[in-house]
Amino acid sequence: MAKIIGGITTSHIPAIGIAMDKGLEDTPYWKDFFAAYPPIREWLGEQKPDIAIVFYNDHGLEMFLDKKPTFALGCAPRYENADEGWGIATIPPVTGETDLSWHIANELIEHDFDPTICQDIKVDHGLTVPLSLMYPGRNYQHLKVIPVCINCERFPMPKPSRCYALGQAIGRAVESFAGDQKVVVLGTGGLSHQLDGERAGFINTDFDLESMDKLVNDPEALTKYSNDDLVEIAGAQAVELNMWLAMRGTMLGGVKEIHRNYVAPISNTGAGTQLLLNE
Amino acid sequence: MTKQDKGTWGTIKFDGPLATRGYALNKMCYSFNDAEAREEFKKDEAAYCDKFGLTPEQKEAVIKRDILGLERLGGSIYYLAKFAGLLGLNVQDVGGIQTGRTTEEFKAYLESQGRGKDNG
């Protein structure tokens, strides 16, 4: 069977991609943020995963309001990035995967999740910034990526408990796949932040650190929140915690935290990074 | 100030009714993914708004760069970010505009809530 070898959480904000393009990693503003990544890159280099399942949200590159999936699963051999309108550089195509991804599609629908299944989608910074962080110099094309997109923009959006359950269903699907592939799972985005309204700029570092603890030891506690709760406690875009919960769901059993970093503010956000392994 | 039923202060919840109200506005801002569209907008902002069928209020808010106004008229921050980007504004500039701060004041506000930097 295919095996999930670990889970990674990371921010995906555009400012990170722009900082990497400009070579700002070692500047005072950025150094403590980028310090999070060498241990994770080293682990990836040792483990050499074949496939990455990446939970992200599209910010209006591919998925506009006209037909916006609540959950979307990519089943394509490759994914293009494109101009997002405000200056982040477009990166080379991401390699896709069409065997495990179709198996996941079958298993999800068999177990009462009904995602939109996508054979041709562009992927935005929500997915490309994390890949660029994991594999600097854009050396990510050997890795087969399965994008899983969650609506974090327009209410109604899927509940934290539902995102966690989606992750669990995907985790079980990977376990039941006849193959020996090594799979890493990324939960991207977060943590506390708010871009819109008079409350723009709100960050809650206590919430962020507590959420990182709970993600390891008590993820079910995080599934008790509603999306409205997350907005109130941690800002309008803190609903991106849902991608972290989905990642954690795929890991099924207990996990141990191998590595953690947290820096705030990075741009308008609290930026958390974790590497989790199954116990 | 923004206050909805059981809502969060200063937060304009982008839900179904607001998405209905803002559809044309958001569709226009979504078009700014395309470089040619951005140029077309810059040449004649009002005409570009008309092309997408914005309401007079939305059009006025676009011309005035009234980000909060656009949000109340149904603009989603995801697409408004593309509008802001076209104007050369980043998310700190937009934060400042919405909160009545200069960009530097907004950055200082962010830093005031911060943690974890300069720890070596």
Side-chain angles (χ1 to χ4, degrees):
Chain A
M1 65 183 199
K3 184 174 167 48
I4 290 176
I5 60 167
I8 298 169
T9 61
T10 178
S11 172
H12 64 211
I13 54 171
I16 296 166
I18 293 167
M20 292 180 85
D21 285 341
K22 291 183 177 171
L24 302 177
E25 289 96 325
D26 296 325
T27 58
Y29 185 88
W30 286 104
K31 63 182 168 58
D32 293 324
F33 171 78
F34 281 103
Y37 292 90
I40 295 175
R41 292 169 189 151
E42 194 176 320
W43 179 81
L44 288 168
E46 286 166 4
Q47 296 295 319
K48 298 185 175 47
D50 305 293
I51 296 170
I53 296 171
V54 182
F55 292 98
Y56 77 110
N57 55 314
D58 180 276
H59 306 73
L61 177 64
E62 175 66 45
M63 290 153 189
F64 181 59
L65 304 169
D66 56 345
K67 338 173 184 56
K68 189 174 178 70
T70 299
F71 293 126
L73 171 68
C75 293
R78 66 188 239 150
Y79 301 94
E80 304 276 348
N81 179 222
D83 188 350
E84 295 188 44
W86 32 252
I88 188 171
T90 298
I91 68 169
V94 173
T95 307
E97 199 283 344
T98 56
D99 295 323
L100 176 57
S101 54
W102 279 113
H103 174 74
I104 292 171
N106 290 331
E107 289 297 302
L108 285 181
I109 287 179
E110 190 59 30
H111 293 94
D112 303 321
F113 276 94
D114 308 298
T116 300
I117 293 170
C118 304
Q119 288 190 255
D120 186 8
I121 49 170
K122 295 186 288 292
V123 291
D124 80 351
H125 66 268
L127 185 141
T128 62
V129 165
L131 270 190
S132 303
L133 274 168
M134 300 304 144
Y135 298 96
R138 294 171 179 160
N139 291 315
Y140 51 74
Q141 287 182 317
H142 63 285
L143 183 72
K144 294 178 174 176
V145 173
I146 301 177
V148 185
C149 187
I150 299 176
N151 167 29
C152 295
E153 179 199 9
R154 181 182 62 196
F155 282 86
M157 53 182 79
K159 297 188 292 186
S161 57
R162 189 69 175 155
C163 296
Y164 183 68
L166 173 75
Q168 290 176 311
I170 290 175
R172 286 191 284 268
V174 172
E175 272 194 349
S176 69
F177 185 65
D180 56 2
Q181 293 87 347
K182 294 199 274 188
V183 181
V184 65
V185 185
L186 272 64
T188 75
L191 281 166
S192 63
H193 65 303
Q194 176 151 345
L195 298 174
D196 46 318
E198 297 96 329
R199 194 179 182 234
F202 178 75
I203 293 173
N204 185 340
T205 55
D206 289 337
F207 171 85
D208 291 346
L209 291 166
E210 191 182 305
S211 295
M212 292 172 82
D213 290 341
K214 284 183 179 165
L215 197 73
V216 178
N217 297 316
D218 189 12
E220 304 257 343
L222 297 173
T223 68
K224 304 290 190 283
Y225 289 122
S226 67
N227 285 313
D228 284 330
D229 290 337
L230 293 176
V231 171
E232 172 75 27
I233 298 167
Q237 279 74 40
V239 292
E240 291 181 350
L241 183 68
N242 284 333
M243 269 90 68
W244 292 40
L245 273 170
M247 179 284 291
R248 182 64 181 85
T250 67
M251 299 190 77
L252 299 175
V255 301
K256 56 189 172 188
E257 183 183 69
I258 299 301
H259 178 64
R260 171 192 291 210
N261 194 59
Y262 179 78
V263 184
I266 289 296
S267 187
N268 292 18
T269 73
T273 313
Q274 286 169 295
L275 172 58
L276 308 179
L277 304 185
N278 276 108
E279 276 186 325
Chain B
M1 294 294 119
T2 304
K3 180 75 185 170
Q4 302 179 350
D5 292 342
K6 297 180 186 174
T8 298
W9 176 87
T11 302
I12 300 154
K13 183 174 175 175
F14 188 65
D15 60 6
L18 209 54
T20 301
R21 191 174 191 193
Y23 189 78
L25 167 64
N26 289 317
K27 191 170 180 181
M28 181 183 85
C29 293
Y30 179 61
S31 79
F32 297 147
N33 281 335
D34 181 65
E36 283 180 25
R38 298 197 288 270
E39 290 312 308
E40 187 182 334
F41 173 83
K42 284 179 197 168
K43 278 182 196 149
D44 189 340
E45 296 191 7
Y48 199 79
C49 290
D50 289 340
K51 182 174 160 180
F52 282 83
L54 270 61
T55 66
E57 295 79 14
Q58 288 168 337
K59 191 166 144 184
E60 188 184 347
V62 167
I63 306 291
K64 287 184 175 168
R65 281 70 170 122
D66 177 5
I67 303 289
L68 279 176
L70 287 168
E71 288 166 1
R72 292 193 185 102
L73 295 168
S76 158
I77 194 67
Y78 280 25
Y79 313 108
L80 293 178
K82 299 175 192 294
F83 172 53
L86 176 161
L87 301 172
L89 304 173
N90 66 29
V91 287
Q92 284 83 46
D93 298 320
V94 172
I97 290 168
Q98 294 177 98
T99 58
R101 296 181 171 100
T102 66
T103 298
E104 288 311 310
E105 286 167 351
F106 185 77
K107 285 181 182 172
Y109 170 59
L110 291 170
E111 291 290 339
S112 75
Q113 304 169 90
R115 191 179 300 188
K117 276 192 190 178
D118 301 319
N119 291 333

